[in-house]
Amino acid sequence: MTPDLAGFIASGADAQTWDEVVAEVLAALGQAFAVVPERGAPHGARRRTWFDTFDWRLYRAGLTLEYVAARGGGELRLSGAGPAGEAVEPAPGWQASRPHPLRDLPDGLVAARIGNLVAPRALLPAVTVSASAAVRRLLNDDGKTVARLLVEDSAVAGGDHQPLPPRLTIAEVRGYPGQARRAVRIVADVPGVRPVAGPLLADALAAVGRRPGDYSNKVAAAIRAGMPATEAVAVILLRLLDTIEANLPGVLRDVDTEFLHDLRVSVRRTRAALKLFGDALTTPLAPRNCALTGDDLARFAAEFKWVGDLTTPVRDLDVHLLGFEETARALQAAKPDDLEPFRAYLAQRRLREFRALNRGLRTPRFASLTEDWRERLTRIRDAANGGTVATARSGQSRKAAGETAGTLAAERTRRAFAKVTKRGAAITPASPHDALHDLRKRCKELRYALEFFAPLHDPAVYGAVLGDLKRLQDCLGEFQDTEVQIGEIRALATSMLDANEAPAVTLLAMGEVTAALAARQRAARADFERRFAAFAGPDGQRRMSLLLGEG
Amino acid sequence: MTGVRIYATYNIKGGVGKTTTAVNLAYLAAAESGLRTVLWDLDPQGAASFMFRVKPRVKGGGKALIRGKRPLDDAIKGTDFDNLDLIPADFTYRNMDLLLDGAGGSSRKLSKLLAPLAGEYDAVFLDCPPSISLVSENVLHAADVIVVPLIPTTLSVRTLDQLTEFVAGFNGRRPEVLAFFSMVDRRKKLHKEITENLSLQRSDVAATAVPYLSLVENMSVERAPVTVFAPRSSAARAYRALWAEIRSRDTGSAGSAGAAGAAGAGTGSM
């Protein structure tokens, strides 16, 4: 079959209307062509399940991965990115009902095309559709097939979902483009037929209340410059809480490492937000007792710190394990195999730490934290949104009452930027490591401040500021992470030795790994001045002023 | 097997079953072996085009194709069957000798024209007009395998020898020649003797023989390969066995009998 020329969908509210529309299409085509069923037995209903990562990496890259179940093993079909990007692979062990880590992908074209894009995420079933297609041939006067009409009926599998409207596709036969175009014109003129707007995947997801790309770890809070500051802060924090909760099931089931990573980032962002502008939540609001007290703020901050600490050991081990192959390949004196006992030890440690994490996240303490937090934030948001800032009437704290998201963003971002420039400028080649580690934290706060208020900024200036900041953060991150990893590897070596699980060659190889990390740390340190100057020098200052509307 | 494989059905004589063979083998290559296949109907009479219900007409005629003014790709028509395309005949092909001569007289012009199809197809079939000419010489140079339908007569064996000698004289790459007996009438003693003896004696004669059957003639009424409209008939079985034999030679496997048997038992479903 040649490429599809045009797709249509039968509009209408119910299956009966759809059937009538399809019948009218067939009648209209019958005026111009002989319309006959395709040879051979019609295909039975096929179950098609779309897979993507939790953060829609395939969709965002314009790709779709579909698993088509069949007797004796189904197949995976990758499409998008033009005909050269198409790939079909038998996948006998694949199951439509569960997430698959990347290693489950059969070796071949599909794995080769998406491996790097997907890693380290797992592939999750997004939606399953049961579809059956009837193909009819459109014949000319010689009885030659000059085009085909596909009528595809489908319904979302599982649950009590409405069937999806039938899709009608005219497929061209090579060498007969004019006839296919003629067929398309005929179909398009039938009342009740409209062009297909999106892929079947989009319709199927809509039927289950989702849409492609519905998860992103970006903050992307729905805020506007004129919004009361208190409301904007509550909206941002609620959005972060959404992300925490969205990732929780994936963390608990240990689907892939990035669920925990995204959860941790949102926890860290929450803590930074509380520090940067948590005071906006303490603005007295009507109804009474809706706002947070200073004690409330401190309590929530402490609880989120607890969550952060709870998740740290597993993430640290994940970082070692994710980079393991690359580390092993980079060994100069030792052999990659020498590190195997280290990998086994890391994996075993991770299992233990994961159990502790899992227990922690299932405690009533965690559940009530997220519940209370949501309830308090929702009340504050709604109260602030209703314009019921109590102080506006009482005359107290006028400043806070009149503050908008725009003014808050400018003030707090400026403050965070000032901290970064001041502390960074004080760093000399003789400064202790802690000075750089502290600067990294301030940079993170500034980064979060920028990201929280991103919708209020000019995108071009925002992109430039963020780019320089990211490069500075990468440098500081490399400087600190390598140091942390060296410390961890030393501690792990000690515990492996204590547990009699450390062959001499493994310890030697681990020593080589720490040496390589130390070299990277030195390189990062040497790069710092240049990175800092690029971000906080006169040009950087000018860009920031422009961003914050101070130019 | 890697790359495209080019098969030509050829005989100096007409009416020996070249076109029916090309049509059926091309269909089997596409539908049952899953090869991306194109059949070029080089015969100005356009019998293969007729059987696939494609009008025997090429825009600009043979001249535009041979002179390279129109890429071969432009002339390709999809048949009614998955994986199987056709380059139709055109009445101007009757002058193809002159066209080839005018285009430089090379006996390898056709090979050059076919080269761009290599990425798109796994199998190319050339259905040749009966003649000894620059066209046939071009076809013989372009082909990897020359499938020669033979009527079981003593004379036809001489023709095969002449062809084999001619091909043996090629410089460089030489196609493999595989003859098979076509239109065999089992009731004729001579047919029976010649087919049985020669296929045993000669390695360039296939073990499969295609019997004379009115069903094969019906192809021009049905306008479809016999393997489509009568997939379980003895004619369809014979073409399936012949294709299996050709394929087993292609892949160099020793299991030709097994392959032929398996194909003979196929259902011929699409």
Side-chain angles (χ1 to χ4, degrees):
Chain A
M1 188 99 56
T2 39
D4 297 348
L5 190 67
F8 299 96
I9 207 156
S11 57
D14 53 47
Q16 196 191 336
T17 319
W18 297 338
D19 288 346
E20 285 165 13
V21 170
V22 172
E24 278 175 40
V25 166
L26 292 174
L29 287 169
Q31 301 287 316
F33 305 94
V35 183
V36 299
E38 183 62 286
R39 291 188 186 85
H43 294 295
R46 288 182 314 163
R47 284 173 86 87
R48 307 163 63 183
T49 304
W50 282 269
F51 277 82
D52 207 329
T53 61
F54 187 64
D55 53 357
W56 298 96
R57 291 182 184 194
L58 297 179
Y59 168 77
R60 288 182 211 283
L63 301 171
T64 54
L65 180 67
E66 198 182 314
Y67 171 71
V68 183
R71 268 191 222 109
E75 60 187 25
L76 285 165
R77 294 179 184 173
L78 181 71
S79 49
E86 311 280 319
V88 180
E89 208 72 63
W94 204 267
Q95 285 175 26
S97 55
R98 66 172 180 89
H100 287 271
L102 205 50
R103 63 173 178 276
D104 282 2
L105 271 185
D107 284 340
L109 271 181
V110 174
R113 297 237 162 93
I114 65 171
N116 286 339
L117 182 65
V118 168
R121 298 228 68 152
L123 290 162
L124 279 64
V127 67
T128 297
V129 161
S130 178
S132 57
V135 181
R136 288 180 181 81
R137 296 187 291 139
L138 311 183
L139 312 180
N140 65 9
D141 293 342
D142 286 328
K144 168 81 184 76
T145 309
V146 290
R148 284 183 171 83
L149 169 73
L150 279 78
V151 180
E152 201 173 13
D153 290 310
S154 45
V156 174
D160 187 21
H161 302 293
Q162 287 287 319
L164 301 167
R167 286 176 168 240
L168 305 143
T169 309
I170 295 292
E172 186 181 316
V173 171
R174 186 170 185 174
Y176 298 91
Q179 298 297 317
R181 281 198 296 271
R182 186 174 166 214
V184 165
R185 281 196 299 273
I186 292 170
V187 176
D189 283 347
V190 173
V193 164
R194 59 183 167 81
V196 158
L200 180 59
L201 168 63
D203 286 358
L205 283 171
V208 295
R210 292 188 61 189
R211 61 181 170 78
D214 57 9
Y215 171 82
S216 158
N217 60 1
K218 291 204 163 48
V219 183
I223 56 166
R224 298 178 313 277
M227 189 182 248
T230 305
E231 184 191 355
V233 169
V235 167
I236 290 166
L237 285 162
L238 277 167
R239 164 81 187 139
L240 294 172
L241 181 58
D242 289 342
T243 309
I244 291 171
E245 291 184 336
N247 281 287
L248 186 62
V251 173
L252 294 175
R253 283 187 292 141
D254 205 12
V255 175
D256 66 43
T257 57
E258 302 315 282
F259 285 96
L260 179 63
H261 179 56
D262 281 8
L263 182 141
R264 276 170 59 76
V265 169
S266 290
V267 167
R268 211 183 297 131
R269 281 174 173 160
T270 300
R271 293 176 60 202
L274 289 177
K275 196 172 162 196
L276 282 164
F277 42 65
D279 58 316
L281 299 173
T282 59
T283 306
L285 295 159
R288 279 175 187 285
N289 304 329
C290 168
L292 297 186
T293 63
D295 284 351
D296 290 334
L297 263 189
R299 182 173 63 82
F300 281 116
E303 285 302 275
F304 281 111
K305 179 177 185 310
W306 165 71
V307 179
D309 293 346
L310 180 68
T311 57
T312 298
V314 173
R315 178 61 194 172
D316 284 350
L317 290 161
D318 280 345
V319 170
H320 283 293
L321 284 163
L322 286 169
F324 200 91
E325 299 295 337
E326 206 185 322
T327 306
R329 267 201 306 274
L331 288 171
Q332 306 271 330
K335 297 193 197 79
D337 283 354
D338 294 348
L339 275 182
E340 275 311 310
F342 180 45
R343 189 212 297 261
Y345 187 77
L346 286 171
Q348 185 198 337
R349 268 292 277 273
R350 187 189 184 278
L351 207 63
R352 207 162 63 219
E353 295 294 354
F354 179 75
R355 281 196 207 107
L357 166 67
N358 210 305
R359 273 197 303 275
L361 292 176
R362 289 179 192 276
T363 51
R365 180 177 176 183
F366 182 77
S368 63
L369 167 63
T370 52
E371 259 169 52
D372 290 353
W373 189 226
R374 180 171 295 283
E375 199 248 309
R376 299 296 293 269
L377 289 174
T378 307
R379 279 173 57 198
I380 292 172
R381 180 197 62 193
D382 295 346
N385 176 262
T388 50
V389 179
T391 52
R393 288 196 303 271
S394 68
Q396 298 164 345
S397 186
R398 272 183 194 285
K399 182 172 174 289
E403 198 162 35
T404 63
T407 54
L408 182 76
E411 191 216 327
R412 304 300 162 98
T413 310
R414 163 57 66 193
R415 202 188 284 174
F417 182 63
K419 267 190 197 169
V420 168
T421 49
K422 190 177 163 201
R423 299 201 187 179
I427 290 174
T428 66
S431 297
H433 287 193
D434 281 349
L436 280 95
H437 301 339
D438 176 69
L439 180 64
R440 184 189 187 194
K441 284 187 196 158
R442 303 291 83 77
C443 283
K444 267 190 183 167
E445 283 168 8
L446 172 59
R447 168 84 171 268
Y448 293 152
L450 286 164
E451 287 176 348
F452 294 147
F453 297 115
L456 313 184
H457 297 310
D458 174 78
V461 187
Y462 174 77
V465 169
L466 211 67
D468 282 340
L469 177 58
K470 268 185 191 167
R471 283 183 282 276
L472 174 60
Q473 282 187 286
D474 287 346
C475 171
L476 291 166
E478 175 90 344
F479 181 74
Q480 187 176 20
D481 291 345
T482 45
E483 183 170 302
V484 170
Q485 284 187 355
I486 290 169
E488 283 169 1
I489 291 173
R490 290 166 68 110
L492 286 164
T494 308
S495 25
M496 282 175 77
L497 210 56
D498 290 347
N500 280 330
E501 288 175 22
V505 287
T506 304
L507 291 175
L508 282 168
M510 289 167 74
E512 198 187 325
V513 173
T514 55
L517 287 166
R520 277 170 49 191
Q521 192 189 20
R522 279 194 301 278
R525 182 66 183 83
D527 203 26
F528 168 73
E529 270 76 22
R530 189 168 65 94
R531 294 285 177 216
F532 182 73
F535 174 68
D539 283 350
Q541 298 267 2
R542 224 177 356 261
R543 269 199 292 271
M544 185 59 86
S545 294
L546 194 63
L547 184 79
L548 302 178
E550 297 163 354
Chain B
M1 187 169 62
T2 55
V4 64
R5 194 105 174 124
I6 302 177
Y7 305 89
T9 50
Y10 175 74
N11 195 319
I12 296 167
K13 270 173 65 67
V16 295
K18 281 190 300 294
T19 297
T20 48
T21 304
V23 165
N24 283 302
L25 293 186
Y27 172 77
L28 290 168
E32 295 188 11
S33 299
L35 303 178
R36 296 166 302 166
T37 305
V38 63
L39 165 62
W40 191 354
D41 183 0
L42 286 161
D43 189 337
Q45 294 179 72
S49 306
F50 179 82
M51 284 189 205
F52 283 115
R53 299 170 187 262
V54 176
K55 291 196 166 59
R57 201 167 52 225
V58 171
K59 265 190 199 161
K63 194 171 170 181
L65 291 183
I66 302 294
R67 299 241 166 118
K69 289 196 174 150
R70 195 174 276 277
L72 207 49
D73 199 57
D74 268 11
I76 296 174
K77 301 275 180 189
T79 69
D80 285 11
F81 309 104
D82 270 355
N83 277 337
L84 179 56
D85 291 341
L86 180 93
I87 303 169
D90 191 277
F91 197 53
T92 57
Y93 287 179
R94 70 190 189 283
N95 299 323
M96 201 178 262
D97 260 6
L98 295 173
L99 293 170
L100 285 166
D101 203 29
S106 165
S107 56
R108 289 183 171 77
K109 182 71 192 165
L110 215 56
S111 290
K112 287 178 191 153
L113 287 176
L114 290 169
L117 300 183
E120 200 183 343
Y121 294 100
D122 305 311
V124 175
F125 285 82
L126 303 173
D127 184 27
C128 307
S131 68
I132 306 179
S133 63
L134 195 52
V135 179
S136 43
E137 209 177 322
N138 261 275
V139 166
L140 298 179
H141 274 291
D144 296 300
V145 182
I146 300 165
V147 181
V148 187
L150 295 177
I151 307 282
T153 62
T154 321
L155 264 181
S156 66
V157 177
R158 251 193 93 227
T159 315
L160 175 63
D161 286 336
Q162 284 171 337
L163 175 66
T164 311
E165 267 173 45
F166 180 65
V167 167
F170 283 5
N171 286 327
R173 200 180 66 108
R174 294 186 193 99
E176 190 191 343
V177 176
L178 180 67
F180 73 97
F181 286 108
S182 168
M183 308 174 87
V184 176
D185 188 341
R186 293 272 169 203
R187 292 164 305 180
K188 288 186 182 165
K189 196 176 161 211
L190 181 69
H191 276 202
K192 204 161 181 281
E193 275 175 18
I194 292 180
T195 53
E196 283 172 3
N197 292 340
L198 279 174
S199 64
L200 286 173
Q201 286 163 13
R202 297 182 59 138
S203 64
D204 59 350
V205 176
T208 308
V210 176
Y212 177 84
L213 292 163
S214 55
L215 200 59
V216 177
E217 289 190 331
N218 259 353
M219 277 174 64
S220 54
V221 179
E222 296 283 345
R223 299 183 74 177
V226 68
T227 31
V228 170
F229 68 83
R232 289 161 204 274
S233 63
S234 56
R237 279 205 304 274
Y239 282 117
R240 225 174 254 126
L242 177 63
W243 175 235
E245 211 175 330
I246 293 169
R247 288 280 280 168
S248 68
R249 283 176 184 243
D250 283 348
T251 51
S253 82
S256 65
T267 60
S269 62
M270 275 182 59

